[in-house]
Structures are given as structure tokens and as C-alpha cells.
Amino acid sequence: MEKNEWYVLTNPLSHQVLLRDLNFFYDTLSSVPENILLLNQRTALGQFDEYIKFHVISGRDKVEKYFKQQRNGRRLGAQWVDFESLSLLHQLHPQELAELLYLKHMTIPLNSPFYYKLRNQFVYLPVGPNVVKIYYRSWDVFYHQFAKALCSRVELGLGERRMTLNWKKNNDVKNSSVCMPSTDILMALSDFLREGVVLDFSQIQPNQKHVEVPIYLAEDHLETSIKHRPNLNQLGTLTYHRGEKNWTLD
């Protein structure tokens, strides 16, 4: 069941995104990593690497199957880091392996979340019920995923999509009835997201001509909810105009 609110907090300096009630990552990823290193789980799709003492999944096909398990709600809570090649993985020094252990237990990197030898694009860390912390090397990837999820959520609220996020099967952006936000809108929205916000989808009704999504200041308070709406500071309103097929942010 889709939530009526999303909590989002971005940190441009650390490349960190903190999300609550917004599980779009596996459904909106355009390119699956070649390999992933599992920090806290085992799987029959992978194998235990004797050198680094972690389970790894090698090959894009197996990684995609594993991500499909995550999408379907099996083996939730997987912490992982992607990597380019086993040969470079096996060049990690003891200090670098210790940093991975620290990352696993503390869910924050000791230094940079991006490792030179791994050449990773992501660090994926569930940190609580419906809460996930993701480190993105590229902000473009995050905002493309976020825009896809936003379109799907609005489409669902309008009654034009009966299923939840499943971009691999039927959420092709080209076939979506809700157009993607422009780069200018996403850039303006990014100023809000770095403050920490709650997006409110509870007002969306089927067949609305103008879909309004109020944005409330939450800062780093994960517990902030639209239930507290009267006491929240509204930063703006994200609006989708169905007739014009565009977005505005006021």
C-alpha cells in the first residue's frame, strides 16, 4: 500500500539521502550494478569470499534477481555496496576492510562512502522500519529516480495506475500519463530536500485537473508526519497540471 507521505532529507556534502516511507530504489534504477558486496546478509545467488569475509553477488543477471527479491519484499534490510571487479575487490587493504565493517555496524562511513578500489556508485543501508539511507555518487541518478517515483505516486493517486511501483514491468516513463518534472523544477526542489521535508500526497483525488503536493519542513526529525500538519511550516506546494502536462513549484 502506498503511503500518503514521504520524508526526504538530502546532504549534498556527504552525498547522502535519507528516506522514510519511500522505497523506490529497486524499481527506478536504470542500470543494475555489475556486482554487489553484501554487508549483512547471505544469499544463494552469491558466494562467500574468503579474502574479504563478505558474501558477494557477481554478474548483473544475479544482481538483478537479488534486487527483484528485494522489490518483492523478501530478505528486507539488505545492506550492500556495489563494486566493479573481483580483482580490485581483492586488493582492499585491512584498513579498508575494517572501514566496511564499521559501515556495516554504524551505518555511516568512517571516511568517504565511495571507495577507490571498489569504484562503487551506491551504498545502500536500511536503518529502521521503512527508513533507508543511500549514498549516491551521482546526484543525477537520485533525482531521476525521485522524479520517476513522484510521477508514479501522482498517477496512482489519480486512479490511473492500480499497481504500486514496478518500473521494470509497466512504469516506463514514456508510457506514463504523468510527465516528468523539468530540470528547473528538480533543481528548485533540491533546495527544499536538503532542509528535510515531508511531501503530502493525501489531498490527491481521482480526475483532478491540478494535483497539489504540499511540502512541509521536517529537518532531521524522522518522526515528522502530516498528522502534525497544523504545527508544521509549509515551505511550498508542488503542483502537477494535467492539461498543460507540466509541474510548478510555488
Side-chain angles (χ1 to χ4, degrees), residues 6-236:
W6 294 349
Y7 172 90
V8 186
L9 172 64
T10 64
N11 186 325
L13 293 179
S14 65
H15 285 245
Q16 174 191 303
V17 177
L18 188 64
L19 307 169
R20 191 199 73 217
D21 298 324
L22 176 52
N23 300 314
F24 63 69
F25 183 87
Y26 295 113
D27 300 290
T28 58
L29 189 62
S30 298
S31 179
V32 175
E34 183 68 35
N35 313 286
I36 61 173
L37 180 159
L38 299 178
L39 295 173
N40 67 335
Q41 287 190 355
R42 301 180 179 185
T43 173
L45 291 169
Q47 59 187 14
F48 183 75
D49 190 285
E50 290 290 345
Y51 179 79
I52 62 169
K53 308 302 182 184
F54 286 107
H55 271 74
V56 299
I57 302 177
S58 299
R60 190 168 281 115
D61 289 345
K62 290 183 179 179
V63 172
E64 188 164 11
K65 287 180 182 178
Y66 185 74
F67 283 2
K68 183 177 180 180
Q69 292 179 359
Q70 297 297 304
R71 285 200 304 272
N72 293 338
R74 288 179 284 169
R75 300 186 66 81
L76 293 176
Q79 301 175 339
W80 56 264
V81 180
D82 63 296
F83 64 96
E84 280 197 358
S85 73
L86 280 171
S87 60
L88 287 174
L89 184 70
H90 290 162
Q91 293 179 28
L92 290 175
H93 294 150
Q95 174 61 30
E96 293 167 316
L97 293 173
E99 288 186 22
L100 289 173
L101 284 171
Y102 183 89
L103 180 65
K104 169 186 175 181
H105 291 291
M106 302 304 293
T107 65
I108 56 173
L110 189 60
N111 295 301
S112 169
F114 306 110
Y115 300 84
Y116 174 73
K117 292 173 184 174
L118 299 184
R119 298 179 183 174
N120 60 305
Q121 301 299 312
F122 311 102
V123 175
Y124 189 91
L125 301 168
V127 293
N130 299 317
V131 181
V132 63
K133 182 192 300 181
I134 309 172
Y135 291 91
Y136 284 86
R137 186 182 290 270
S138 168
W139 282 111
D140 288 344
V141 174
F142 165 70
Y143 280 105
H144 187 65
Q145 287 188 288
F146 182 80
K148 281 183 177 181
L150 185 63
C151 291
S152 183
R153 183 62 186 85
V154 169
E155 201 171 18
L156 184 68
L158 290 171
E160 298 179 0
R161 185 177 302 282
R162 287 178 290 177
M163 296 182 66
T164 55
L165 284 171
N166 193 350
W167 286 92
K168 294 294 183 182
K169 292 184 178 180
N170 59 6
N171 279 16
D172 192 328
V173 176
K174 295 179 181 178
N175 298 325
S176 174
S177 66
V178 176
C179 294
M180 294 275 279
S182 67
T183 301
D184 288 343
I185 291 294
L186 291 174
M187 288 182 64
L189 189 58
S190 70
D191 292 335
F192 291 158
L193 300 189
R194 66 171 60 105
E195 298 294 330
V197 298
V198 168
L199 284 79
D200 178 6
F201 297 94
S202 65
Q203 300 178 28
I204 301 178
Q205 300 295 328
N207 302 317
Q208 281 181 322
K209 291 184 179 180
H210 303 282
V211 179
E212 295 187 347
V213 181
I215 302 171
Y216 298 101
L217 180 66
E219 298 181 315
D220 59 353
H221 304 299
L222 263 173
E223 71 281 1
T224 302
S225 169
I226 56 175
K227 293 183 293 184
H228 312 134
R229 191 183 292 114
N231 300 317
L232 297 179
N233 175 20
Q234 184 171 344
L235 297 177

